[in-house]
């Protein structure tokens, strides 16, 4: 199974800050990497697919990059609604493993 | 509108059984793989099972293999998860999701949309 490791597990930031979350795969997964956003008490929502493509309706302050084993999710200017949890997930093979999540908190 | 809605969760005793359902609408159900993902209270996301569009192929996490069975009725646009021999560690919100096929320098699969989830509590 492919293991996905996210870092950090949590971070504190302020509105307007630029933040970066990293995700590392235990083996190469090309660009088969997705990012999800989960708000408290709600289902996750697809944010970015294929490592760098924004899902329809997602604000342009979100971006993704990477290929192979190392990936990043960047939020260029944090907005109040962005202080939630983010997960990476590989779709290279089954089982479709997730990272452990990164909670973005208000400083 | 593409939508999936889960039902069937509840309180069950250890060793008991429960069947979850996921009703799909707004897309050609038989053309897409469907997946179950669960989230234990305060924990992260765990992939549980995926079934192909025709229902002929199914995959399971090691943690549920031999106890859970995924199936689908394409005539009813409905996905199922039969859960037997339930344990306390199966307590979670169970989400169903469509495995969408998206293009990004090649075809990529992602879970979209997700249902609102249904809570399964295993406790005596």
């Amino acid at each position: 199974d492919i293991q996905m490791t996210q870092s950090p597990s949590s971070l504190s930031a302020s509105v307007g800050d630029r933040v970066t979350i990293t995700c590392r795969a235990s083996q190469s997964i090309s660009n088969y990497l997705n990012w999800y956003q989960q708000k408290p008490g709600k289902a996750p929502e697809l944010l970015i697919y294929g490592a760098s493509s924004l899902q329809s309706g997602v604000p342009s302050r979100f971006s993704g990059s990477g290929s192979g084993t190392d990936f990043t999710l960047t939020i260029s200017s944090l907005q109040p609604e962005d202080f939630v949890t983010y997960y990476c997930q590989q779709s290279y093979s089954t089982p479709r493993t997730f990272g452990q999540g990164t909670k973005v908190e208000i400083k | 509108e593409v939508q999936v809605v889960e039902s069937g969760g509840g309180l069950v005793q250890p060793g008991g059984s429960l069947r979850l359902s996921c009703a799909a609408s707004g897309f050609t159900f038989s053309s897409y793989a469907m997946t179950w993902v669960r989230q234990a209270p305060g924990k992260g996301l765990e992939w549980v099972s995926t079934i192909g569009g025709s229902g002929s192929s199914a995959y399971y996490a090691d943690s549920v293999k031999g106890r859970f069975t995924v199936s689908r009725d394409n005539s009813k646009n409905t996905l199922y998860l039969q859960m037997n021999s339930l344990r306390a560690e199966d307590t979670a919100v169970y989400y169903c999701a469509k495995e969408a096929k998206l293009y990004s320098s090649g075809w990529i699969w992602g879970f979209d949309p997700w249902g609102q989830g249904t809570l399964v509590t295993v406790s005596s």
Side-chain angles (χ1 to χ4, degrees):
Chain A
D1 297 359
I2 299 174
Q3 308 303 318
M4 306 301 293
T5 304
Q6 268 181 256
S7 62
S9 55
S10 66
L11 66 90
S12 296
S14 302
V15 173
D17 283 354
R18 178 186 181 91
V19 300
T20 297
I21 299 168
T22 65
C23 181
R24 175 165 288 176
S26 60
Q27 66 182 73
S28 178
I29 58 171
S30 185
N31 67 329
Y32 290 86
L33 190 283
N34 304 317
W35 290 97
Y36 298 86
Q37 179 190 65
Q38 187 177 32
K39 299 175 181 177
K42 300 294 187 181
E45 294 182 342
L46 181 63
L47 207 61
I48 288 173
Y49 60 91
S52 60
S53 296
L54 238 55
Q55 176 65 326
S56 176
V58 173
S60 59
R61 62 181 180 272
F62 291 93
S63 64
S65 65
S67 183
T69 61
D70 295 312
F71 304 87
T72 60
L73 170 68
T74 299
I75 310 172
S76 61
S77 178
L78 273 171
Q79 298 303 299
E81 61 268 29
D82 301 336
F83 291 91
V84 293
T85 303
Y86 298 87
Y87 295 90
C88 64
Q89 175 249 333
Q90 62 83 17
S91 61
Y92 181 82
S93 65
T94 300
R96 303 280 206 232
T97 39
F98 291 89
Q100 78 276 22
T102 296
K103 186 174 184 179
V104 178
E105 299 174 307
I106 299 176
K107 184 183 289 183
Chain B
E1 180 192 5
V2 177
Q3 193 175 11
V4 293
V5 178
E6 305 92 338
S7 62
L11 174 63
V12 61
Q13 292 188 338
S17 298
L18 208 58
R19 188 177 83 156
L20 306 183
S21 298
C22 171
S25 59
F27 63 99
T28 305
F29 183 66
S30 60
S31 295
Y32 293 91
M34 297 292 294
T35 285
W36 289 98
V37 175
R38 69 184 180 182
Q39 186 170 37
K43 302 297 184 182
L45 302 171
E46 180 187 14
W47 173 84
V48 172
S49 179
T50 293
I51 185 168
S54 67
S56 61
S57 57
Y59 310 89
Y60 300 93
D62 287 344
S63 57
V64 307
K65 201 172 294 182
R67 300 187 299 123
F68 289 12
T69 302
V70 64
S71 63
R72 62 193 297 160
D73 185 336
N74 287 343
S75 69
K76 295 182 178 179
N77 289 351
T78 302
L79 172 72
Y80 303 101
L81 185 67
Q82 177 67 43
M83 304 185 295
N84 298 331
S85 303
L86 282 161
R87 307 166 179 167
E89 54 265 36
D90 295 319
T91 294
V93 174
Y94 285 73
Y95 297 101
C96 74
K98 171 192 167 194
E99 190 156 278
K101 192 176 180 182
L102 307 149
Y103 191 81
S104 173
S105 306
W107 291 107
I108 300 292
W109 291 265
F111 300 139
D112 181 65
W114 299 56
Q116 82 289 352
T118 188
L119 177 63
V120 173
T121 303
V122 184
S123 175
S124 54

